[in-house]
Amino acid sequence: MIGYAPWLVGFPLIGAAVLLLGGRALDKWGHWIGVLASSASMILGLWLLFRMIGADPADRVVDHSLWTWLSAGGLDVNLALRLDPLSMTFVGLVTFVGWLIHLYSVEYMAHDPHRRRFFAYLNLFIAAMLVLVLADSYLVLFIGWEGVGLASYLLIGFWDHKRPNAVAAKKAFVMNRVGDMGLIVAMALLFAHTGALDYGTLLGSGASGTAAVDGLDQGTATAVGLALLLAACGKSAQFPLQAWLGDAMAGPTPVSALIHAATMVTAGVYLLVRSGPILDAAPTAQLVVVIVGSVTLIFGAIVGCAKDDIKKALAASTMSQIGYMMLAAGLGPVGYAFAIFHLITHGFFKAGLFLGAGSVMHGMNDEVNMRGFGALRHVMRLTAWSMFFGWLAILGIPPFSGFWSKDKIIEAAFVGEGWQPWVFGGAALIGAGITAFYMTRLMTMTFWGRPRWTEPEYHPHESPGLMVWPQVVLAVGSIALGGVLAFGDVFTTWLEPVVGTPGHHEPVLAVPVLMGATIGVVVLGAVIGYAMYRRDVPAEAPRGSVLTRAARRDLFQDTVNEGLVMKPGQGVTAVLVTADTGVIARGWATLAGGVAALGAWLRKAQTGYVRAYAASMAAGVLIIGVVIALVATLGQTAGA
């Protein structure tokens, strides 16, 4: 089984290379090469996943070394893959959802003259994410980590002839580089204190075994944990590095679906769950992870309430839902499996919601402002139904998928002592209510109420089959996947070889009370959202409250970043430029001028006349003779 694993990455990587190197000769049909590569990787990934499911639990952690990549001093790095329940869960999600997005993109990008290049970048994105999750060391993971960053930059800025797209791509790229420094620092600290970067040595074999991180003092473990959190915040758009996510919606909609559901933003959650033993050794770092997750889930939910752009509303939703996963990852063994559980269910319903948004845009002349929608359920029935089931799933209405995963995180957040369960559990509960409000607002403004569009300016219609059927498949996942994985705790048991046993922990409130409270706030939020937007939706957004205006501007996060980072950075740059041009460059220019002046003065002695040169030589001999005589005289005087 393990011998076929490299082809998981190989198929999409070869597809990307062929499409990029094939040039314009492949423009008419090259996109099918991308689909074929994605299909091959998906079929192989699901086959390997089911093979591992059928294996004995003791045999579900397998390392496969390909070759020695780097050997220097005490550092030996093999280019190797690790197949275990955690990595194979991601393989299944990335390849299957990625394949559906490839199919959808065939029709969505049908009229784009650069469709071949788009599919090359999609293949590259899939390949990079698979390297990230299949790596057996932090160093190999870093290759995929940077590959995902590159692919996202290329795809967000795919329509780079439009200024917002180019700016959004650069913004995502730069903010992710800030997070990448965290991963570099974490690797440096780990190698300095343990001499290793591979998971087997650092983290132990599965949930048991000797782990090098057990020997870290708490200060070092905390520093590593916080550095990993910084990396995760950049990649997963968590506070305070989340400002790039909304702008990234400028790219094609399939890119948004891929980034939010199967790649990119899920990478940070994967990193923290994979690094669970490090976080377990650093309670302070764990607490900071929980705080960041709690802040972000509320932050994203508030922003989502004020967005009229359908894609940006969904982007805020992703930020919030990833916040739930980060919160769970910070809770330790009680939350690791639930973080991944929600990541999987979220991957299906969020991909379906984004593809549905793209379908709406396709039928509405690429319009994204929901204030110009309304009553689209009558003309886009399949899209409306698929998004309807995704809406029920993200709200956490039983028995849809989100109920089984998000409720587990809310329950886990209420576990603990002192103030923490009340604060973090309360944040998770409030976030569920706000989520219900803004997602109901989105559905009501788009599909329900009265039409706010007119013919012939708009002619809404259902999308072609290749765009609709991926939505239908994802809708099935939104309905049933959560219940299937929750049945008999099959998913948490599946992850035990990697994340350990969560154990049994009682929340500070009884589970039935929490479940009832969660459903209650969700229903309340949905009712308020429907009541506010089911009738009159003005074409222009009203001024709104202070909080609404702040949410429209992403709670001034760009302003804060500019004030704390960009403008001071520009000031430092201006000082350095002045020092470079006014001091260093001018100093060297003065020195060069002096040398040139000296040369000009000496050049006057070069007359070209032999008698002048002879006179100069005679004068030189005379001077040398005088010096020798003086030295001899001084020597005799000293001897006497």
Side-chain angles (χ1 to χ4, degrees), residues 14 25 37 63 107 182 193 210 226 236 263 268 277 350 361 365 416 418 470 480 504:
I14 292 171
D63 291 315
E107 195 64 47
H193 288 83
T210 303
L226 293 177
S236 293
T263 61
K350 185 53 62 66
M361 292 168 59
N365 300 339
H504 181 70

Side-chain angles (χ1 to χ4, degrees), residues 189-201:
L189 288 172
L190 288 170
F191 183 72
H193 288 83
T194 67
L197 290 173
D198 63 285
Y199 299 151
T201 303

